[in-house]
């Protein structure tokens, strides 16, 4: 049995004061979220405050990126150890916005996944095709390439504990959520690609769907056999809408 994970990706939203207001609004809404793992992926400046405020709750705090090197001359970057030192639980890697706007490559992501693993950070690897790639019938070849390259350095144990988020780029922030059929097909394909590397890991790896997940479409997506949770953007910014999505994951 795979534990469902609902993770909110705030992207570049919320000052520390705003994040504190959010978490005090969210925690009282989670009394009935048994059996669901909850994550918030927050800007670097909010990490310490959210780790402190979420301590003892079911909410785990994730960074939205990190550098693969342990330290060095990489101005503006953050290492895995800098995150674990302040008790950050995990990190989101390879979000399509980082791939598109910050030249994130699959090769760097393989190194980042390895560094996160070595530091004891949980990792959520994002993959997904653009609208043009889907129209061209290239969805599976894009996912296959991103997974082959991104997962290249992980052993089976690391793979089993990994979280992979399928986020079709055309569904992010557009309101154009994937149909249940599209989400299931892509997530099953991702699991089949993990099985090529290690069959047992494919049974354990958790696969999230992301892209315009809202309170009113979450239940249908979360009921799909190969969808183990959701990575939520816009709807994770308000405690009420985020809690409603978490509620949809309670079985
Ligand atoms: P939206 O839920 O706003 O479409 O964003 C999805 C996303 O990119 C989560 O990482």
């Amino acid at each position: 049995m795979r534990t469902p994970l609902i993770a909110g990706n705030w992207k570049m939203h919320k000052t520390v004061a705003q994040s504190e207001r959010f978490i005090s609004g969210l925690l009282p809404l989670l009394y009935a979220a048994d059996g669901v793992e909850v994550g918030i992926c927050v800007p670097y400046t909010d990490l310490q405050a959210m780790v402190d405020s979420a301590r003892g709750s079911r909410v785990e705090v994730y960074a939205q990126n990190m550098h693969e090197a342990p330290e060095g001359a990489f101005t503006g970057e953050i290492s895995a150890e800098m995150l674990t030192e302040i008790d950050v639980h995990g990190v989101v890697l390879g979000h399509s916005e980082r791939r598109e706007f910050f030249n994130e490559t699959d090769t760097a992501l393989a190194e980042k996944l390895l560094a996160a693993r070595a530091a004891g950070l949980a990792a959520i690897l994002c993959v997904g095709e653009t609208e043009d790639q889907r129209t061209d019938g290239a969805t599976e070849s894009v996912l296959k390439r991103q997974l082959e390259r991104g997962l290249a350095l992980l052993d089976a144990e690391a793979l089993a504990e990994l979280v992979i988020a399928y986020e079709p780029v055309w569904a992010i922030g557009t309101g154009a959520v994937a149909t249940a059929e599209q989400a299931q097909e892509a997530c099953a394909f991702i699991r089949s690609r993990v099985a090529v590397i290690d069959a047992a890991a494919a049974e354990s790896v958790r696969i999230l769907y992301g892209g315009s997940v809202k309170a009113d479409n979450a239940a249908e997506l979360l009921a799909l056999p190969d969808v183990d949770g959701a990575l939520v953007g816009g709807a994770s910014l308000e405690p009420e809408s985020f809690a409603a999505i978490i509620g949809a994951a309670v079985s």
Side-chain angles (χ1 to χ4, degrees), residues 18-31:
Q18 291 166 337
S19 72
E20 293 284 17
R21 276 200 292 281
F22 173 92
I23 199 80
S24 26
L26 180 70
L27 293 182
L29 303 178
L30 298 186
Y31 58 89

Side-chain angles (χ1 to χ4, degrees), residues 9 11 95 97 167 171-174 210-214 231-234:
N9 176 12
K11 311 189 178 186
H95 191 280
E97 287 148 19
E167 296 210 310
I172 294 177
T174 58
S212 296
V213 175
K214 308 282 178 224
L231 186 55
V232 185

Side-chain angles (χ1 to χ4, degrees), residues 172-209:
I172 294 177
T174 58
V177 65
T179 64
E181 192 184 359
Q182 288 169 327
Q184 168 57 23
E185 192 176 42
C187 292
F189 178 75
I190 290 168
R191 199 175 302 284
S192 77
R193 294 312 304 172
V194 175
V196 169
I197 309 171
D198 188 276
E203 289 304 309
S204 308
V205 69
R206 286 182 293 175
I207 302 176
L208 314 183
Y209 168 79

Side-chain angles (χ1 to χ4, degrees), residues 10 14-24 40 42-43 45-55 57 59-61:
W10 290 357
K14 297 196 190 296
T15 63
V16 173
Q18 291 166 337
S19 72
E20 293 284 17
R21 276 200 292 281
F22 173 92
I23 199 80
S24 26
I40 48 173
V42 311
T45 47
D46 295 341
L47 285 170
Q48 180 76 69
M50 290 303 93
V51 165
D52 291 342
S53 297
R55 210 180 291 279
S57 79
V59 177
E60 284 161 340
V61 179

